[in-house]
Each structure stands twice: as C-alpha cells, then as structure tokens.
Amino acid sequence: MSTDPEVMLFVAHCAGPVQRTLLVIHGGPDWDHSYLREPLVELAGTHRLILPDLRGCGRSTRGLRDDEYTPDTVVGDLTALLDAFGVARADVLGFSYGGLIAQRLAMDAPDRVRRLIIASSSILPVPADAFAGWRVRDERRAREAQVWSDRSLAGAGLTRAAAIAGASANIWRPTALPDYLRRLAAIQFSAEWMRPMLAGILPSPRYENAAQRLAELDVPLLLLHGRQDMIFPSTLTAAAAALIPSARPVVIDEAGHMAHIDQPDQWLGAVREFLS
C-alpha cells in the first residue's frame, strides 16, 4: 500500500461482482478483521468482500514509527487497496473505530464510496453524560477499566486482556458471549496504535461537522446500531439521521456494541436490504 514507509496489508477477500464490492473496516484499532467475518461471509458470491487488517494490526505491517499510525495514513492505504483490486467505487462498512475511518474515507475520497454503512459507531460526538445513570454499564465497563490500569500488563497482552475483560460490556445477550469469546481468542491483537494514543499524538479520526459534510455528499448511508451499545450510545443514531437526509437508521433491540454477534440475522438482514 505504501513504499515510504513500506506497508503491506493482509486482506481476506472473496470473489464476486466488482460492482458489488463491500470494503469492511474493522475497529479496535489494535484488533484485526476476523471478528467481523461472521455473518458477513454469507454475502460471499453475491458481493465481493474485502476485509483488510489495517496497518499495525493483525498480519499487516507492524513496527512503523508512531506518527505513521494516523487516520489519514489508513485512508491512503484503503484507497490504494481499492486500486490494487481494480475497484473504482465500493460500498464501505466501518465498524466502531472503523466507522470513524469510513466516514473520513467518504469525505476525503467521495468518488470511491458508493454507499456507506456506519455500524456500532457514531457520526456525532459522544456527550460526556451520554450514559449517566446506567448502572449496568458502569459495572460492566469497570472490569475493562481495571485491566487498563494494571501496570503488570503491556503490549498486545494488555490489548487482549482488556478485550476479554470488556466482553460483557460489548455483548448484551449472555447466550452470545461464548461465540464472542471464541472470536476474541482468534484475533491477532497488537499494541501499535496504543503507543501514539498513550503518548497523546494520535490524531482524532473524527471530522468536525461530519454530519453536515455527509449530508452535502448525499451518499446513501445506513446507521446500524445495537440499542444496548455501551461504547457509542444508540440515541445518536436517530439524532444523526435527522441531520442527514440520505441516512437510514436501524437500531436492533437486545444487542450491544457487537450487534452482529448479539443479533446476527437482524444485523445481516439490515445490511442485505441496504445493499440490494
């Protein structure tokens, strides 16, 4: 994707019509793409799926300078990736932190994005009091916060431990938790993005006035969210849709941040309908 510095991306992909390409941008950012494969793999054949590990993540290039991990460098990688696959315009799904990157891609390279899905993320900034009074969230999120403050942990081990500790905050339905833990066990976590974040030099992926800018682009937009999301409040979905005429909000009941695991059939159904 880049020669200075040299950056190579690991990409999972499947054959399908080039005009129905779906580029999937994972979150984390120190995770990889694998936790999003299911249920999206069911689109294989009718859609061409491209699921990269972002730079510094999974099996993609690591060991770059801290200032090489930025939202702008990722957008550059993704446009180069579309070029490498011969894709002029793609449908784009961004999940969590990847949802912020996906918005940036649409605004920086609007000619490359045909339709946009923002899943378990937000267009509007999260208010400081967005989750005030939600005791269950406070209890579940405290487990992950305790891990982040544990000075005996570092590097990818810290990222993994925090993900596992936060599992009950990311999954709402207890019956879905074993599947989520199985996926976490398969992720090749890193800590590349953690370094610039902790050093305070990681630029925000969020553009000011993102809602206004997306409204001006008039790109078809699906806002896909779990109602019990404890990272990005689901209330922001309707608020953003009210500002963007091209946006369609879908909020799934009994689903947390990992709504595609809590309610895979409803989640994939919303994606299918939007892409049809």
Side-chain angles (χ1 to χ4, degrees):
M1 300 301 104
S2 171
T3 57
D4 185 21
E6 183 176 281
V7 175
M8 300 183 68
L9 298 187
F10 176 85
V11 183
H13 62 97
C14 71
V18 67
Q19 69 272 18
R20 303 193 75 184
T21 297
L22 178 62
L23 171 65
V24 180
I25 308 172
H26 69 77
D30 279 323
W31 293 35
D32 65 25
H33 78 278
S34 62
Y35 70 103
L36 293 170
R37 285 193 183 187
E38 302 172 39
L40 287 173
V41 69
E42 295 183 32
L43 297 175
T46 59
H47 293 76
R48 187 182 192 184
L49 298 177
I50 301 177
L51 298 94
D53 291 346
L54 303 182
R55 60 168 60 196
C57 303
R59 282 170 276 188
S60 294
T61 295
R62 301 191 189 188
L64 302 173
R65 298 194 318 266
D66 287 1
D67 62 0
E68 294 291 349
Y69 296 115
T70 69
D72 284 341
T73 59
V74 170
V75 168
D77 289 344
L78 294 175
T79 54
L81 180 63
L82 293 177
D83 290 341
F85 275 91
V87 178
R89 299 182 72 212
D91 298 325
V92 177
L93 186 156
F95 187 93
S96 191
Y97 186 87
L100 301 174
I101 296 294
Q103 295 171 51
R104 202 175 188 94
L105 175 62
M107 288 182 271
D108 287 355
D111 58 319
R112 308 306 299 269
V113 178
R114 181 172 45 236
R115 287 172 290 198
L116 184 61
I117 301 173
I118 304 300
S120 296
S121 188
S122 72
I123 292 173
L124 301 175
V126 178
D129 61 349
F131 298 106
W134 191 1
R135 182 179 56 82
V136 172
R137 178 187 182 272
D138 293 341
E139 293 172 353
R140 295 191 184 187
R141 292 281 300 183
R143 302 166 193 172
E144 182 179 351
Q146 185 176 7
V147 170
W148 283 113
S149 64
D150 187 344
R151 296 190 176 182
S152 69
L153 297 171
L158 172 57
T159 310
R160 178 178 295 279
I164 294 171
S168 64
N170 286 325
I171 293 292
W172 181 252
R173 297 172 57 246
T175 54
L177 192 56
D179 179 30
Y180 183 51
L181 293 173
R182 173 185 63 82
R183 299 193 200 199
L184 291 181
I187 292 175
Q188 296 193 28
F189 289 100
S190 72
E192 299 288 288
W193 288 76
M194 187 192 307
R195 294 197 311 269
M197 179 184 68
L198 293 178
I201 63 171
L202 179 62
S204 171
R206 189 184 297 280
Y207 275 136
E208 291 186 15
N209 301 321
Q212 177 183 341
R213 296 179 66 173
L214 288 170
E216 292 170 354
L217 287 178
D218 198 33
V219 61
L221 174 61
L222 173 63
L223 304 176
L224 185 55
H225 222 91
R227 191 171 301 280
Q228 287 79 25
D229 192 316
M230 298 182 180
I231 309 297
F232 295 98
S234 60
T235 52
L236 294 183
T237 302
L243 299 173
I244 306 172
S246 63
R248 178 193 308 176
V250 174
V251 178
I252 300 174
D253 291 325
E254 298 295 308
H257 187 61
M258 298 291 171
H260 66 295
I261 300 176
D262 267 322
Q263 300 289 355
D265 293 340
Q266 292 184 48
W267 191 89
L268 184 63
V271 171
R272 280 188 193 276
E273 181 181 357
F274 179 70
L275 297 179
S276 61

